Amino acid sequence: MSCYFHHERHEIRPLLPKSARNILEIGAASGQTLRWIRTIYPHAVTTGVEINGAVAAELSRNVDVAIIGDIDECLPRLKKYDLILMLDILEHLIDSSSVLQKVRGLLEPGGRVVVSVPNVAHLSVTIPLLFRRQFDYQDAGILDRTHLRFFVEDTAIGLMNAARLNVSKGLISGMQGYKAKTLNGLSLGLLRHHLAKQYIMLGEPVEGEIRQPPVKWMIAK
């Protein structure tokens, strides 16, 4: 089974709030991230929604409430949450904006959403396009053949703003390796958005006019 289903997303730690009581993850896979997050919020109730029934038994062991099914079908079964995770899920959806707007409606007052999306401006995509006019889908990664939407910095932030979520904090992932760190340093940070594999964003709901300041991106560890 794909490593996607057993991966813990430790890198989101700097975006997590000080406390959380009811936590929902959409696209929870086998629940490894929610199991880890219980070490941070030991008294929280965790709910995982996952479309792949093959991981149902494992998900049930790792979360308090396991729900198998398509997100639109599962929405009526969901409650209110103060922390919602949508990690590497929106790019797989036909109408990611509509789904994110519906999920925002599940937030308790003061709740937060953590979203991650792939960055199609990464050098692994743009260099083959520039020099070989080549764009090949793959089994995993930014050009995963199941991806229906592609994002760069502006469209990632725009997706959040369209759901009336202000991006208050952001992480760039994929820069942990020596090559990426070296290129980032040599370019004085100018290549940062071409070295980013993902944008991970903390969204805070806004009731009035969205006034999105520039996001100060941190490097995920």
Side-chain angles (χ1 to χ4, degrees):
M1 186 174 291
S2 169
C3 62
Y4 284 159
F5 291 99
H6 298 93
H7 184 47
E8 295 180 4
R9 298 294 299 271
H10 294 169
E11 71 272 24
I12 70 172
R13 184 67 180 91
L15 303 185
L16 297 179
K18 292 181 179 180
S19 62
R21 298 167 299 168
N22 296 296
I23 304 170
L24 168 68
E25 182 175 10
I26 296 173
S30 61
Q32 300 297 326
T33 295
L34 285 177
R35 185 180 68 172
W36 161 71
I37 220 166
R38 282 289 296 272
T39 66
I40 301 170
Y41 311 112
H43 303 295
V45 176
T46 57
T47 299
V49 174
E50 172 57 42
I51 196 170
N52 184 1
V55 297
E58 189 172 0
L59 178 62
S60 295
R61 291 194 295 270
N62 289 326
V63 303
D64 296 304
V65 180
I67 300 175
I68 301 297
D70 177 87
I71 179 57
D72 285 320
E73 298 172 353
C74 296
L75 277 171
R77 301 169 58 185
L78 301 176
K79 301 177 181 180
K80 293 287 185 177
Y81 306 89
D82 51 10
L83 176 60
I84 299 177
L85 309 179
M86 300 186 75
L87 307 174
D88 299 346
I89 182 67
L90 290 169
E91 63 270 22
H92 296 273
L93 305 179
I94 295 174
D95 192 349
S96 53
S97 181
S98 175
V99 170
L100 184 56
Q101 290 175 37
K102 292 175 184 176
V103 168
R104 181 197 183 282
L106 301 175
L107 284 173
E108 293 181 349
R112 301 289 184 266
V113 181
V114 178
V115 169
S116 70
V117 293
N119 173 33
V120 77
H122 188 266
L123 288 175
S124 65
V125 178
T126 58
I127 287 179
L129 274 173
L130 179 63
F131 291 104
R132 300 199 301 270
R133 293 176 291 136
Q134 186 174 336
F135 184 95
D136 293 327
Y137 285 99
Q138 301 166 359
D139 292 332
I142 296 170
L143 293 181
D144 187 315
R145 63 185 76 256
T146 65
H147 288 179
L148 302 178
R149 292 285 307 276
F150 295 93
F151 299 92
V152 293
E153 180 191 15
D154 285 349
T155 54
I157 295 171
L159 176 72
M160 300 288 279
N161 291 168
R164 307 204 61 74
L165 294 165
N166 190 72
V167 180
S168 58
K169 292 182 182 179
L171 293 171
I172 285 176
S173 73
M175 295 180 61
Q176 297 91 338
Y178 173 77
K179 289 183 179 179
K181 288 180 180 178
T182 301
L183 283 172
N184 186 51
L186 290 174
S187 70
L188 302 178
L190 294 177
L191 285 178
R192 179 167 298 182
H193 290 282
H194 293 282
L195 296 169
K197 290 184 177 179
Q198 288 182 322
Y199 292 111
I200 310 173
M201 301 167 287
L202 176 65
E204 301 185 5
V206 176
E207 297 303 329
E209 180 183 355
I210 287 281
R211 295 184 177 180
Q212 176 66 60
V215 177
K216 296 181 179 178
W217 299 99
M218 301 177 286
I219 304 299
K221 296 181 180 179

